[in-house]
Every structure is written in C-alpha cells, then in structure tokens.
Amino acid sequence: MATPLTDQEKRKQISIRGIVGVENVAELKQGFNRHLHFTLVKDRNVATPRDYYFALAHTVRDHLVGRWIRTQQFYYEADPKRVYYLSLEFYMGRALQNTMINLGLQNASGVGYGGSGRDGRRSCFLDSMATLGLAAYGYGIRYEYGIFNQKIKDGWQFEEADDWLRYGNPWEKARPEFMLPVHFYGRVEEEDGKEPKWVNTQVVLAMPYDTPIPGYMNNTVNTMRLWSARAPNDFNLRDFNVGDYIQAVLDRNLAENISRVLYPNDNFFEGKELRLKQEYFVVAATLQDVIRRFKTSKKNCSGPLSFDSFPDKVCFCYTLYTKHLTRPETSIPHCNSAASRLQQALCVCMSFCLAWNITKQTFAYTNHTVLPEALERWPVELMERLLPRHLQIIYRINQIHLDHIASLFPDDMDRIRRMSLIEEEGGKRVNMAHLCIVGSHKVNGVAEIHSDIIKRDVFRDFSELEPEKFQNKTNGITPRRWLLLCNPGLADLIAEAIGEDYVKDLNHLQKLNDLVDYDTFIRDVAKVKQDNKLKFAQYLEKVYNVDINPASMFDVHVKRIHEYKRQLLNCLHVITMYNRIKRGPIKPFVPRTVIIGGKAAPGYHMAKMIIKLITSVADVVNNDPVIGRKLKVIYLENYRVSLAEKVIPATDLSEQISTAGTEASGTGNMKFMLNGALTIGTMDGANVEMAEEAGEENLFIFGMRVEDVAEMDKEGYDALQYYESLPELKQAVDQIKSGYFSPKQPEMFSDIINMLFHHDRFKVFADYESYVKCQERVSALYKDQREWTRVVIKNIAASGKFSSDRSIKEYATEIWGVEKIRKLLE
C-alpha cells in the first residue's frame, strides 16, 4: 500500500520542477545580463517586462543549443528511421516555462513567467516524441498572424488580428540556406514515351524557421520546422521593365499571403483556393526537405542512392492533433498533396507502380472527425488550375484503385462509385479522405469509439476491403505542460505521495488508489483545489470585474463553439437553475459558478449566436438580486492555452457533453481529469475510455448512447415532443423565444429557436432531461466534500492511460515502425 513519503525520503527526491545548483543559478544570471545588454541593447533603467522575458528566453535557449546540435549529429551518425509529423496548426507560442521544466531549470530564476509572448501551443505529441527519444520532426506553416484574438463587446464576438511576431520570437532560428521552391499553376506538357512535365509554373519560396523541442530531462532536443512563404527575387521582372512597379510589389504580397494567416473557418468546408495553397505549400516544401535529408544521410553519401530503403528511413504522419478553430479534417489534403507530390518526385527515377508502393509504405493517416461537412472535397476545376500535374497523378491512382475494386466486386457498381477518389455528384470533386486511406499503409482513429465508427460507418467499404489497415490510437496529453507546469501544487503533492516516476510514466498514478481513504491526503488534495480556485477567482475579479464565490462549484465548459459540442444544452441548464432559484429563493441550492469559453469561427453564424445567448443569459443571472452569489455565469473572453492553464486546475466539474458519436476523442476532458475535475459527459469520444478506466460510477454519465442516436435517426427526431412534455425545458425555451434575455430585441434568438425545433442534428432537447437529472447528482455529491474528493483522487489515479507518452509509444511500435534512441548524449 502506498503511503506518503517521509521527510527523509522527500529530501532525497529531486524537486519535480528542478533543483539547480548555485553555480547554475549564477550562470543563468550571467547569461540573463549578457542578453539584456548585448542582444536587446537595454539596461535595467529602460528595460520592460517583455525585455526581461526575452533575455531569459535567450538564456534558456543557450542551454538548449548544445543539446540541439548534438542530437542532430547523433541522428546523422545513427541514421535511425525518422518520423515527420505534419500539421497546419503548429504555430509558435509561449515556450519558456515548459522548456525550463524539461531542462530542469525551473527554480533557477527569480524572473516570473509573465505575460510576454503569444498564447500559442506546442504539440503534446512533439513533447512526447522528444521525451521518448524518438528521431522526430514537426513540420508546419509559420503564420504571420495566428488564430484571431477574440473580443466580446456587448455580448458579441469580434475578431482582432493576432500579430504574434510583432516583437520577434526568441525561440526560432531562420534557415535561409534551406529555402526551397514550391510551384503552383502552370500546365502539363506531354510527349510520347516520356514522363509529363509541369511547366510555366508560378514559384513561391518556402523559408524555414527552426524551433527546438526538448525532451524531459533526457538531453534530446528535436526540431520543429515551420515554413514561411517568400516571393522569389526575380518576381515579375517584366512588370519592372514596363514601369509597373506597384503591380509587381502587389504580386509579391499575393505570393507571401500563403503564410499570412491561419485559416479559422470551422462550420463547413468551403474549398477556398488559399487553403489548398497552404496545404500544398507545407507538404511540397517538407517533402523536398525530407528527400534532401534522405539523400544526404551517412549511408547514402557513402554508397549508391536507392529509394528502395525510403520507407525504412522515413514515416510521414498526417494528423491535426492540436485543434483550434480549423476543421479537424483539414489534415486530409496533407496526405493527398503529399502522396501525389512524393509520387511525382519518385516517378523521376522509377516506375509509377514502384513509386506508388513506396509512397503507401511511407504514409500513415490519422482521422480526426466523423462529421461529413468537415471532410474536404476539392473541386476538380480548382485542382486542375492550381496543381494540374497532381490531378493527373490522382486520376491515375484512382484508376488503379478502381480497377482493383472492380476485380473484387465486378458487379457492384454502387460500391465502385462509393469508393472512388473522384466524386461525380454535384460537380467533380476529389475526396481527400478516400485518397488518404488508399495512399497510406495504416489508418487510425483517436479513441476506441471513434475508430469503431470510422470502420463501421464512415469508411466501411475501405475497412471491409483492408481490415488490417485500420487501428485505434487513443489521444493523450503531456503531463509536463498539463500538470507540472499548470498545476505545480498538485504535481508536488503527488510526488510527495508516490514519488516522481509518474512524470515519465503516468500509469504510476494508479498508486494513488491506495490513498483514497487516507484523510490527510484527502485534505491536501482538497486544499490544492481550493487554492487554485482562489487564484482563479482573483483573476476573474481583476479581469472581468465580477465577484464570485470561491466556495461555489466551478462548472467549466471551455472548447471551440460548435453546435455538436452543445453549449446550448449547458445554457438551457443554466436557465433552468435560474428559474428554480427564482421559484424558491430560500430553498437549499448548491452554489455554482458556470464558466463557458471558446472561440467561434468568424463565418459560423450559429456559433456566434450561441455566444450572444450565453452572454445575454449571464447578464440577467449575474444582475438579479434574488440570485445573489448562488449562481454566476462567466464567459471567458479569448480562451487560449495560457487561460486554460489557469482555469483547468481550478475546475470542479468538466463539461464534455457532445452528442454521442460526434466527438472524435477530445483532449480537454483528459486535462481536466488529470487536474482533479470530475466529468459530466455523454458516452462519446475519450469519455468512454475515461469511464472504463475510472469506473462509470466515478463519472457523471448521461444521455443517449451511439446506438440510441442511430435509432433516433432512423425513427426521426421530434424536438416538439420534448418541448411539450418537459415543463422546465418549455419554460427555458419560451424565455429565449419571448425576449426575456433580450428585451430590446425579442426576436434576437429566433435563428437559435428555429434550429432547435427544425434543424438540430445534435438533438439538444432529447438529452435535456437526462442532463438535468445528472446535474442534480453532481450537486448532491458536491455537498459531501470528503466523498467528492475521494472520487477526484480515483479519477486522477485512473488518468495514466491518457498520457501522450503512451499514445506515441503505440504509434511508434504499431504504425510508424520507429524505435527509441536508447543511448543519446550520455
């Protein structure tokens, strides 16, 4: 049975956040002063907090550089198989504290981790790859403007540009010597007996910027390379010759627009040319870079070059793990563009069939959505204009694919139509998901229920054809950022109780089950949570000028705003609680602070209306004297990673209430679980596995299951039936409809009402009664703080499965075929 460590054992432990010797502290101070003076050219009389941040960041980077160089040297000598992890949403964010934790420098500096830098994020997967010692690289786009900053004005969302590079980025290193050309437009010249040539193209240069990705306390530093679009120096010289200088400059700006801004639309696929350019830009540059590295490897430099070994040395993983507002399935054209681009490159030196075989062995595809409107289908007309040679390759791949299907199912024309890479209905379009599957040796979902759905429903024909190709790899999160960094009090408490091995193997948290009845440990866990709530309450009072009750239950629903995530269901429950208090103001009521946050895509009208409804309800609830401190509703403006690091450790109840069968996995649910929040949720995404790990009795599960939703879809969903049979639901809906929350504009929310009654694919009313009853169970348990904390401990103990280290180990052994570099820089 695990018991808390003695004082003597604690002294033997190395502090989780790193104990640094006096000499290292002096070294850091010396480096800090050097960078303040010679890099930033400031002294303490004129330096700003941002200058201090940059000086410390440069100092910390100095500690990375030697490890970074030696890691790459080691990879060159050992020549292991490398993983190349592509995403359209790697963009630089605040890395200082995470880097210091991984280097063991956290306690060496008295300079606080302040508000400088952009609130971006680095992938949990990249962190785990480095921590596990895998030879891995991240590739993406270096956007000049990241995801927009959200401003809430009079309850409405407004978007402001996020100029995150305004003050520079201390972590990146430009690599102009590796700049590469990327081609667009043009035409294809064909001659008998010769490989077609893509000519008269427009060229954009891809300029790489490298960022170090350190592993946790292991000397491994991998690389994330982001590409920035640059116009070539000889752009439109003819325009200069005729004196049209302005037009030439404007054309240059058009070329560089490719990396100008992260695409934010979330509601449906629109087929925008810029998006396709971005997708092709990142894969074309990356593939050239990877092929260059392969050609210049130690083995190939000393012997004859052969691409036969390419799949033994290279694996491409296409995924969109780090989601924000862009559609999850926007990773699909990566695989499409990359497969056809690699095929094009290999066809220069070998036959088409051999090149296609090597391509398939090299790619692995991770699917992240089951929503049909999120699947990208590029118009053939656009593809033909922008990437004419690649469209030819896609046609040829499709012909090989359909010939194979026809040989197996000669009389099943409907199956051939369903499995084609080219859709004919409603205009010719390239189905990117189909090309991903055909062009990859492995396909996986990101939670068990999600993987079952894509095999059983979304990609059923393909799964029946090649069942061995489909796998599941449940998502995970890095405990370095999502526990050590954001919740040091809990991290230290756990380390004192069971030791520090859990940082690299989260399964050690199971030892906490032995302490679930240990009164001292229960009180300590509760105290850490209350301290985090007090800090966050002070933050809310300072930023939002709202006085909340720190003893109230912090009920948190933070994620991008989307109909399937059902913020509307939460809002209806808030109105129901409001009405209950109004009906019986002296009746017992467990106080709640409902905290909702997330961004709506700029073009997503319904999501923006949902934000306006929530903020309008909050205005009524928060200013009603009858309600007092029993119920507060807060909308978190500009929800982002740095804000998540504040709110997640303070959360009591985590809302994960998507309609069953719509959420691929989710990772927020895992972050809340690890930080001591209990989950109210449907059996959707990773919630299913969380319930399996912790026991369904230790989560608040409600609502329809996947099979119930499927049955309702067959029989038909009648929202009116629920509205008429549930009085509290009817009252809440009538209040919205009548203008109770928008008295100056009673019809303001008519679009929401119309959707709920006539177009609600996510069946909010159907789960309302179950949700409200489940919330009553939540309140009942919260009144017994000892029992609540016992359940919290059980959840933390069960969260070991949801480490990204576990996810990456499974990917590495079962999909990528790569091994940990066991001896590195010792």
Side-chain angles (χ1 to χ4, degrees), residues 441-692:
H441 68 282
K442 295 295 181 185
V443 177
N444 70 277
V446 291
E448 289 177 2
I449 187 173
H450 169 238
S451 298
D452 289 342
I453 290 171
I454 66 173
K455 288 188 290 186
R456 185 183 66 241
D457 299 325
V458 182
F459 303 130
R460 179 175 179 176
D461 291 327
F462 293 91
S463 177
E464 289 176 348
L465 182 67
E466 298 179 282
E468 72 285 352
K469 179 181 282 190
F470 288 78
Q471 296 188 9
N472 173 63
K473 294 290 171 282
T474 299
N475 270 337
I477 58 171
T478 168
R480 270 75 65 182
R481 177 177 288 276
W482 294 111
L483 185 57
L484 272 67
L485 187 156
C486 73
N487 201 343
L490 182 59
D492 283 349
L493 179 62
I494 293 172
E496 290 172 3
I498 64 173
E500 297 181 7
D501 290 342
Y502 79 89
V503 179
K504 286 191 174 183
D505 184 356
L506 212 56
N507 284 317
H508 282 275
L509 292 178
Q510 293 174 1
K511 297 176 184 177
L512 295 177
N513 282 317
D514 294 336
L515 304 176
V516 74
D517 293 314
Y518 199 102
D519 287 340
T520 301
F521 188 70
I522 293 172
R523 287 195 298 269
D524 289 344
V525 171
K527 184 179 186 304
V528 167
K529 177 64 69 175
Q530 192 59 33
D531 288 345
N532 290 333
K533 291 174 68 175
L534 284 169
K535 290 177 185 176
F536 192 65
Q538 292 167 359
Y539 170 84
L540 290 178
E541 183 175 7
K542 177 180 178 182
V543 175
Y544 295 90
N545 195 29
V546 60
D547 178 28
I548 64 171
N549 179 6
S552 66
M553 182 198 307
F554 282 17
D555 177 351
V556 178
H557 196 177
V558 285
K559 52 186 74 238
R560 60 197 170 99
I561 307 301
H562 198 292
E563 290 163 79
Y564 89 86
K565 293 182 180 289
R566 300 204 294 190
Q567 285 90 355
L568 281 174
L569 182 58
N570 193 348
C571 187
L572 288 171
H573 176 243
V574 169
I575 297 172
T576 300
M577 290 190 291
Y578 169 78
N579 289 332
R580 287 181 176 182
I581 296 172
K582 293 284 283 186
R583 283 196 303 269
I586 62 172
K587 288 183 178 179
F589 183 86
V590 176
R592 284 203 193 210
T593 300
V594 179
I595 301 169
I596 302 174
K599 296 177 182 178
Y604 194 173
H605 170 71
M606 188 56 66
K608 286 190 167 183
M609 291 304 305
I610 291 170
I611 291 176
K612 177 59 177 174
L613 175 60
I614 293 168
T615 55
S616 298
V617 170
D619 286 342
V620 172
V621 171
N622 296 343
N623 292 289
D624 191 322
V626 175
I627 304 301
R629 302 185 84 196
K630 292 182 178 179
L631 180 62
K632 293 290 183 184
V633 182
I634 309 295
Y635 196 91
L636 291 181
E637 182 182 71
N638 202 34
Y639 182 67
R640 57 206 183 276
V641 171
S642 62
L643 192 48
E645 291 168 358
K646 293 181 176 67
V647 67
I648 288 175
T651 297
D652 292 306
L653 184 68
S654 163
E655 300 271 353
Q656 309 294 332
I657 60 177
S658 54
T659 310
T662 60
E663 183 72 82
S665 168
T667 54
N669 45 7
M670 304 170 187
K671 296 165 189 171
F672 283 106
M673 183 185 195
L674 180 61
N675 281 273
L678 300 188
T679 301
I680 182 168
T682 53
M683 290 297 264
D684 194 27
N687 294 355
V688 177
E689 291 159 79
M690 288 164 56
E692 290 172 355

